[in-house]
Amino acid sequence: MEGLKLSNAELMIYIHPSKSRNVYQAIGRELSGLLFQYNETFDGVLLAYDADVKSKQAKILSGLNPYFGVRVEANLLLFDPKPNSLVEGEIVKISPESIHVVVLGFSAAVITDVDIREEFKYKMRDGEGCFVSRSHKGHTLKIGTTLRLQVQSFDEEVMHIAGSLLPENTGCVKWLEKKNTEQALHMDRDHKRRKIA
C-alpha cells in the first residue's frame, strides 16, 4: 500500500523534572501523545515508533519550569497519502451514491458516485447494497470487502480521504490479485509455447 513511509529522526524530547525517575517511560508518553495525529514536523500521521535514547546526558532548560531535554533517535512509521497514490481499506457502508471505507482502522475514505467507474452498477443482494461489475461478474464490492482506491485528496485535520475508483487498477483487492495472477500465468504459457515453437 502506498502512503506509508519509514523515517529516521533525531528528536529532542523535553521532560518535566517530576518524570526524571523514569525517563524512558516519560519519552514513551511524549511520543504516544503524537500517535494518530498529523504532524507537520514529520510530514505525516505517526502510526508507530521505535525510540532509542542517543545520549545519557540531558540539557537543562532555564525558565519557569526547568524542563530537561533528552536526545532520542527514533524510527517512525508515517501515513501520508499523496494524490494519485493507492491505499487499501475495508468497506463499511454502501449506498447508490457512495462507498465508505476505513483505511488502516482510523482514517475514513469516501468514494462518491461520480468517482465510481461506469463498469460498476449498484444492486441489492440478500437485503444489502453492493456494486457489481458489468464486465466481470466476480468483481463485487460489498460491506467487508478490502478495497483498493486512488487518493484524490487527504484532509489532515479530520483524517479524511476523498477517493476514486476510476482507474482500472482499483477495486476489490482479492479480485485484482486473482486477475494479475491469471494474467501472469497466461503470459508464462505464451512464453513457453513460443520457446517450444
Side-chain angles (χ1 to χ4, degrees):
M1 179 169 76
E2 298 170 11
L4 291 174
K5 62 183 178 182
L6 286 172
S7 180
N8 295 326
E10 287 189 17
L11 307 171
M12 179 71 82
I13 306 289
Y14 299 106
I15 299 171
H16 192 273
S18 65
K19 310 288 185 198
S20 63
R21 286 190 173 212
N22 197 338
V23 173
Y24 295 104
Q25 184 180 34
I27 290 169
R29 283 192 179 152
E30 288 294 319
L31 289 173
S32 293
L34 301 173
L35 288 172
F36 301 107
Q37 296 176 18
Y38 186 84
N39 191 308
E40 288 182 12
T41 305
F42 302 147
D43 192 29
V45 178
L46 181 62
L47 299 180
Y49 63 87
D50 179 28
D52 191 28
V53 176
K54 191 169 182 171
S55 171
K56 299 236 181 217
Q57 295 178 346
K59 181 180 178 185
I60 297 173
L61 303 172
S62 58
L64 213 55
N65 293 322
Y67 281 78
F68 61 95
V70 179
R71 287 191 185 275
V72 174
E73 195 171 282
N75 296 318
L76 310 173
L77 177 62
L78 302 168
F79 178 63
D80 186 29
K82 302 289 184 201
N84 299 324
S85 64
L86 297 174
V87 296
E88 296 174 4
E90 183 179 339
I91 297 175
V92 292
K93 182 181 174 186
I94 291 183
S95 71
E97 299 84 26
S98 62
I99 299 174
H100 299 262
V101 181
V102 174
V103 178
L104 295 174
F106 74 94
S107 183
V110 174
I111 305 154
T112 58
D113 57 350
V114 295
D115 293 314
I116 300 172
R117 59 183 181 267
E118 291 181 14
E119 165 190 346
F120 290 105
K121 181 176 173 120
Y122 182 80
K123 292 186 176 181
M124 290 296 287
R125 283 191 177 167
D126 302 324
E128 289 186 354
C130 63
F131 281 92
V132 180
S133 171
R134 293 177 187 166
S135 53
H136 306 284
K137 296 297 179 198
H139 195 179
T140 305
L141 309 177
K142 57 186 179 181
I143 293 175
T145 300
T146 303
L147 184 72
R148 182 175 298 146
L149 59 120
Q150 184 182 48
V151 176
Q152 289 185 318
S153 65
F154 178 57
D155 185 344
E156 295 96 0
E157 287 185 26
V158 292
M159 307 291 172
H160 187 270
I161 296 171
S164 171
L165 287 177
L166 295 176
E168 291 292 322
N169 60 345
T170 59
C172 174
V173 171
K174 281 185 182 178
W175 188 85
L176 290 168
E177 288 175 355
K178 182 180 174 187
K179 177 183 157 192
N180 290 339
T181 304
E182 288 173 358
Q183 284 178 345
L185 288 172
H186 184 69
M187 289 172 60
D188 192 41
R189 283 189 207 127
D190 287 349
H191 180 70
K192 286 180 182 176
R193 285 181 191 153
R194 286 188 199 130
K195 250 184 168 175
I196 293 170

